[in-house]
Structure formats: structure tokens, C-alpha cells
């Protein structure tokens, strides 16, 4: 017998948080979330609850936990898009259709009770969270920023009446064997024409103190119309900066400024931390920080986190400035490759950018959608 229960106490919270580690304990491609970050979802003061509602469920079969799911109502997103949508996230299950149906049904019932007419996912509180269901690349190592799922997940969710809404493509970018002189010339020409420059980053904290607000304004502008995104709040910015400033190497932080020191383009990558986090089982103590610091010092793979260009300059060739710097970093740091993480399948601008590199499209993630209330004729 399958029972799906709302998470209401500390014991159930612990079961919810620990279930993925048990499910994927023998999977070499899985990387756990940092347990300290995940615990925050059960705190009433969690910063996302300023604009969101959420609920959490555990599934049990004959008394043993066999799955979990969370439902979210992202009020900012609904207001921005004039929608009545719920999201599901943190969906994990054994290979059992009845368990998957029971979990998704509970999330759907909750969504309807809140007046929603559609549910989509996997999609978290914002696009800064782990999102999408893996539909290609099951034998590729997950990065620290992304979730892994077994190959039976897509089949289960489609059998529960969900359809594809959008895909994200992920690429491996390989260092150039020889620097492309055309990119170098274009980079110099664009900087000269628009009076731009790339500030040297010696200290990440000082850089962020100076440019932090401008960086997030650029990201808000260029991401506002993309699927699943919501505006950055002060709390989101504060958390993101605190989370990443300790793991970003100065040379992996790239900004382009105009003559008045206004940021017009930005990108940053971070050392791949997946192996370090996996070895520490998502725990920072006692050895988690040591492994992470070691990974930062000996970078072999870099995860590209975000890249953004102000809309009015997106057709100026300014991307050549960012790409020239990225290529130089890959060569100077002797990187094996970079991981692009999530690129929407219809985001032709960024997909065109990756054509500058030798590359491999190695993973695809999918957001699914299901109508909960039939539209009136």
C-alpha cells in the first residue's frame, strides 16, 4: 500500500532530505545538494517564502520511504506571466508508476486547492535552483549546480499525463587549440567603438562590492523573458553572493564596463565542485571545505554559471569580448573543458555563441507541463 504524507515534523524532514542520497547511493553520476542549503527550505524565514508558497510530501510503501515531491507557487512568476501555475520540484521516486502517480497527484491536488490551473516542472523557487529533468546524458557526471535523475523518470512522468514544455541543452566546451584571430580582432574593435574595457579582478569581494548591483541589473534585464525566471530580490542577491564569492576564482569573473564604469556585460564560471561535494556527501564538515578548497586550487573543469549582455548591446559584437576572455582563461588555466549548464533550446543567441568553440552537446533537461483545469469554451 502506498501512502503519501505531508512533511510535518523533524523526522519526516530528515527523510525528505536524505531520500535522494539513499536512492542514488550506488550511482557514480549523482552529486548531492549541500545539506546545509537544503535544510533551509524547512525554515519559515527562508528568503524565498517572501514570494512563494510551498508544500512537501513523502511517499511510503509498506512503511518504507519510496519517494518525495515538493509543490511551489511562485507568485512573482504568476504575476509576471499572468498565470495560475504551480511548480513541482525535488521529485524523486523508485521505478514504480504507482508511486510516481501518487506523488504527482498529491502535488496536483494541492495546486488545485490553491486555485491553480496548471502544474509544471521540475522547477524550483527560481532558475537559480536545480531545475529540469534529465532526458539525455544519464552517463554524464552531474555538476554541483544541477540535479541528476535515473533514465526511468521521463517515462514515469509522461505516463502520468505530463508533456514536454521546453528543453535545456548543455554543452562541453573545449579549449581552442589555437586562438581565433578573428575573435581577438572583433573584441578589440568592439571595445574601441563602444569605449569599453574589461576591469582586472584581483579580489572577488572588492569586485562585488563595487559592481554587485549593476551585475544583477544586467542579469535581470537579459533574463526577464526567459522561461522560469523571476526578478532578483535583495534576499536572493545577498544569498547568491554569499554562496558563490568564496568559490569563484578572480580570473573566472568577467565583466565588461563602459567609460563610466557601468557594467554592460557579465559572466562568471566556477571550478567544478561536483567531485568534492560528492566525496563529502553534501556536508561541509568535517572535510567538505578542505575538498572544496582543493578543487578550487586545482581546477580542471569549469562550470559556466551565468552570462549576460545588456539588451541594447546584444547585437554589437560585445559577446566576442566575453568569449575571448573565456578562451584565454581556458588556455591559461589548462582546463580540460567548461560545462555550460542550462541553455534554453530556443535561445539562439547563446547557442550561436557556443558555435565559436569545439563542443559536445552531452545533456538535455526537460520541463514538463500538465493542465489541471480544463479551459472553458
Amino acid at each position: 500500500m502506498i501512502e503519501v504524507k505531508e512533511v510535518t515534523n523533524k523526522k519526516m524532514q530528515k527523510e525528505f532530505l536524505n531520500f535522494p542520497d539513499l536512492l542514488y547511493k550506488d550511482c557514480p553520476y549523482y552529486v548531492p545538494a549541500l545539506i546545509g542549503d537544503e535544510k533551509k527550505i524547512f525554515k519559515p524565514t527562508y528568503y524565498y517564502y517572501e514570494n512563494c508558497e510551498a508544500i512537501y510530501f513523502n511517499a511510503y510503501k509498506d512503511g518504507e520511504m519510496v519517494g518525495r515531491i515538493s509543490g511551489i507557487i511562485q507568485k512573482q512568476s504568476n504575476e509576471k506571466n499572468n498565470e495560475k501555475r504551480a511548480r513541482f520540484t525535488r521529485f524523486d521516486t523508485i521505478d514504480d508508476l504507482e508511486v510516481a502517480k501518487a506523488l504527482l497527484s498529491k502535488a496536483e491536488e494541492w495546486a488545485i486547492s490553491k486555485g491553480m490551473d496548471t502544474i509544471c516542472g521540475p522547477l524550483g523557487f527560481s532558475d537559480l535552483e536545480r531545475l529540469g529533468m534529465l532526458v539525455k546524458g544519464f552517463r554524464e557526471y552531474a555538476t554541483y549546480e544541477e540535479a541528476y535523475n535515473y533514465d526511468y523518470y521521463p517515462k514515469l512522468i509522461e505516463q502520468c499525463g505530463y508533456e514536454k514544455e521546453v528543453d535545456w541543452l548543455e554543452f562541453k566546451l573545449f579549449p581552442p587549440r589555437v586562438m581565433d584571430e578573428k575573435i581577438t580582432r572583433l573584441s578589440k574593435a568592439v571595445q574601441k567603438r563602444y569605449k569599453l574595457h574589461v576591469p582586472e579582478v584581483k579580489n572577488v569581494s572588492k569586485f562585488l562590492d563595487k559592481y554587485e548591483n549593476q551585475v544583477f541589473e544586467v542579469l535581470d534585464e537579459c533574463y526577464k523573458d526567459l522561461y522560469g525566471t523571476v526578478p532578483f530580490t535583495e534576499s536572493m542577491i545577498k544569498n547568491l553572493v554569499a554562496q558563490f564569492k568564496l568559490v569563484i576564482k578572480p580570473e573566472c569573473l568577467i565583466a565588461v564596463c563602459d567609460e563610466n564604469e557601468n557594467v554592460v556585460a557579465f559572466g562568471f564560471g566556477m571550478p567544478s565542485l561536483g567531485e568534492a561535494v560528492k566525496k563529502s556527501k553534501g556536508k561541509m564538515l568535517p572535510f567538505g571545505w578542505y575538498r572544496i578548497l582543493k578543487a578550487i586550487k586545482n581546477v580542471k573543469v569549469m562550470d559556466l554559471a551565468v552570462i549576460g549582455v545588456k539588451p541594447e548591446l546584444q547585437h554589437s559584437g560585445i559577446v566576442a569580448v566575453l568569449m575571448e576572455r573565456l578562451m584565454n582563461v581556458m588556455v591559461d588555466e589548462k582546463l580540460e573543458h567548461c560545462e555550460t549548464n542550462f541553455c534554453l533550446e530556443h535561445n539562439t543567441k547563446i547557442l550561436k555563441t557556443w558555435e565559436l568553440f569545439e563542443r559536445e552537446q552531452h545533456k538535455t533537461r526537460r520541463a514538463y507541463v500538465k493542465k489541471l483545469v480544463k479551459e472553458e469554451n
Side-chain angles (χ1 to χ4, degrees):
M1 178 180 177
I2 299 167
E3 291 184 285
V4 179
K5 300 179 181 179
E6 182 180 350
V7 175
T8 56
N9 56 50
K10 295 288 186 182
K11 178 178 180 293
M12 297 177 77
Q13 289 176 9
K14 186 175 181 180
E15 290 174 330
F16 184 94
L17 296 172
N18 291 344
F19 181 72
D21 292 345
L22 297 174
L23 185 66
Y24 296 103
K25 64 180 180 180
D26 297 320
C27 178
Y29 311 108
Y30 165 76
V31 174
L34 289 176
I35 191 65
D37 287 341
E38 284 292 275
K39 283 181 177 179
K40 294 176 184 177
I41 63 176
F42 291 116
K43 294 183 178 180
T45 55
Y46 189 40
Y47 60 92
Y48 275 121
Y49 295 145
E50 296 172 2
N51 299 294
C52 300
E53 292 182 58
I55 195 166
Y56 304 90
F57 295 104
N58 290 344
Y60 303 89
K61 187 173 184 178
D62 300 326
E64 180 182 353
M65 187 165 171
V66 289
R68 68 171 195 168
I69 197 169
S70 172
I72 294 173
I73 296 174
Q74 212 327 330
K75 298 176 184 178
Q76 284 179 297
S77 178
N78 282 344
E79 290 171 5
K80 182 181 81 168
N81 299 308
N82 192 28
E83 294 174 330
K84 294 182 178 180
R85 283 194 169 208
R87 302 175 171 192
F88 71 89
T89 186
R90 295 171 173 84
F91 171 67
D92 289 292
T93 176
I94 63 171
D95 189 3
D96 186 316
L97 180 58
E98 294 307 310
V99 174
K101 281 183 177 179
L103 283 166
L104 289 162
S105 293
K106 276 293 184 181
E108 293 163 13
E109 290 169 10
W110 174 77
I112 292 171
S113 75
K114 293 293 181 177
M116 303 297 106
D117 59 22
T118 304
I119 188 166
C120 61
L123 201 59
F125 292 99
S126 78
D127 59 307
L128 301 179
E129 287 207 310
R130 295 178 165 197
L131 48 80
M133 181 173 290
L134 198 64
V135 296
K136 172 188 173 181
F138 300 104
R139 293 183 178 275
E140 298 286 346
Y141 292 98
T143 69
Y144 154 70
E145 303 93 346
E146 62 189 22
Y148 178 84
N149 58 264
Y150 287 127
D151 57 4
Y152 60 78
Y153 274 50
K155 182 179 178 181
L156 289 180
I157 200 164
E158 288 165 13
Q159 288 178 318
C160 291
Y162 286 75
E163 298 178 343
K164 171 190 170 180
E165 183 160 47
V166 70
D167 279 354
W168 291 272
L169 309 180
E170 300 179 51
F171 296 82
K172 287 180 182 178
L173 306 180
F174 300 99
R177 296 184 180 90
V178 179
M179 285 297 296
D180 190 332
E181 292 184 3
K182 290 187 292 185
I183 294 176
T184 301
R185 287 198 301 269
L186 179 58
S187 173
K188 290 179 179 178
V190 169
Q191 291 182 66
K192 183 178 180 180
R193 179 178 180 180
Y194 294 97
K195 298 180 180 179
L196 306 175
H197 65 280
V198 179
E200 185 179 3
V201 183
K202 293 183 178 180
N203 181 283
V204 172
S205 293
K206 289 182 179 179
F207 173 89
L208 291 173
D209 288 343
K210 183 176 181 178
Y211 295 112
E212 175 183 305
N213 291 333
Q214 293 185 44
V215 164
F216 284 98
E217 286 174 8
V218 170
L219 296 180
D220 258 341
E221 279 190 73
C222 61
Y223 286 4
K224 65 181 179 181
D225 296 324
L226 297 184
Y227 179 87
T229 61
V230 293
F232 289 101
T233 64
E234 288 186 16
S235 299
M236 287 169 64
I237 293 172
K238 182 180 179 181
N239 181 78
L240 189 64
V241 170
Q243 186 176 13
F244 288 118
K245 72 192 310 184
L246 296 177
V247 298
I248 300 174
K249 297 184 72 172
E251 52 269 33
C252 300
L253 193 58
I254 308 168
V256 183
C257 296
D258 64 18
E259 59 186 330
N260 298 313
E261 287 300 307
N262 297 313
V263 176
V264 296
F266 174 76
F268 82 84
M270 54 185 289
S272 180
L273 304 177
E275 186 177 350
V277 173
K278 185 177 180 67
K279 286 182 177 178
S280 301
K281 299 181 178 179
K283 300 175 182 178
M284 300 307 295
L285 297 174
F287 303 114
W289 270 118
Y290 168 76
R291 292 189 176 107
I292 286 176
L293 292 173
K294 186 177 179 181
I296 294 170
K297 186 176 181 181
N298 302 295
V299 185
K300 294 299 181 183
V301 176
M302 184 169 71
D303 299 339
L304 298 182
V306 291
I307 291 178
V309 178
K310 294 198 85 169
E312 61 267 28
L313 289 172
Q314 287 180 357
H315 298 286
S316 67
I318 195 173
V319 72
V321 182
L322 293 170
M323 292 305 104
E324 181 198 26
R325 177 65 184 272
L326 174 59
M327 289 178 178
N328 282 322
V329 168
M330 293 175 75
V331 172
D332 293 344
E333 295 291 309
K334 297 180 174 60
L335 299 181
E336 294 175 1
H337 66 269
C338 288
E339 291 254 3
T340 64
N341 287 338
F342 314 110
C343 307
L344 282 165
E345 61 183 337
H346 55 257
N347 189 346
T348 54
K349 292 176 183 176
I350 192 67
L351 294 177
K352 194 75 175 175
T353 298
W354 302 144
E355 292 180 7
L356 298 171
F357 295 82
E358 182 183 342
R359 65 203 179 280
E360 176 190 349
Q361 198 271 303
H362 64 310
K363 299 177 193 171
T364 302
R365 294 179 188 280
R366 180 163 297 168
Y368 287 91
V369 66
K370 183 177 182 180
K371 203 72 180 174
L372 300 177
V373 180
K374 293 183 178 179
E375 295 181 359
E376 296 181 2
N377 295 328

